[in-house]
Amino acid sequence: MAAIKDHSEESSLFFLVRSAYYRLIALLAETELLKNFTGFGLYDQAVIEHLRAFDDPYPYHRGQISELGYPVARVAFTQPQRKRGVTKSNFFTLYDLAMLGFTNHSKVPLRLAPSWVSPARCSRFWPARSTWSQAPVLAEFPIGQAPVVVGLFFSGIGAVAVHRRPR
């Protein structure tokens, strides 16, 4: 039995962002994931044993429950507003959990990575090539500066502004 959050007394903006995340991951995932599922629920002993058998240092339990293939009874609940204390999760913890969900249940990020990296590398090639070809012609680079500039462009650190010295 899985407890599914249908309403929340938290910030409406935060609930909207979370709902958008669940819709996006449901579109990209290869298995059907439970939307607004926090991991809270009552589990059978067989499910617990299957979860223990996963050899994953950072498990994404929300997706693992769906992957096991057991029938899931959904019980809706309203999350009350926190009365005391603060959450231990900051933005980076929530971001890490979101990226874990994407990478564990979808091949889309893995397929998109080369298409994002290749244009970035190509965009750094031309400034480095022009610097390399102009260095002997202009003769205004101090000794060693042209190879450093070319190396920075090729290494991916980024563009470096090269200022001409006044004559």
Side-chain angles (χ1 to χ4, degrees), residues 35-80:
K35 293 181 185 176
N36 295 323
F37 176 56
T38 62
F40 175 71
L42 296 174
Y43 301 112
D44 189 54
Q45 186 64 32
V47 175
I48 300 294
E49 293 303 321
H50 272 105
L51 289 175
R52 285 184 183 150
F54 278 113
D55 188 29
D56 191 359
Y58 298 105
Y60 186 71
H61 289 297
R62 297 170 184 177
Q64 286 177 339
I65 298 300
S66 298
E67 280 183 0
L68 291 177
Y70 290 106
V72 178
R74 293 174 170 95
V75 175
F77 76 99
T78 300
Q79 180 184 20

Side-chain angles (χ1 to χ4, degrees), residues 19-32:
S19 297
Y21 165 74
Y22 282 123
R23 280 193 301 272
L24 179 64
I25 199 168
L27 284 172
L28 300 177
E30 294 161 359
T31 58
E32 182 184 346

Side-chain angles (χ1 to χ4, degrees), residues 98-121:
M99 292 302 108
L100 184 65
F102 276 122
T103 56
N104 279 351
H105 299 288
S106 176
K107 292 180 185 173
V108 173
L110 188 61
R111 291 178 181 151
L112 287 179
S115 64
W116 289 341
V117 171
S118 297
R121 285 196 166 194

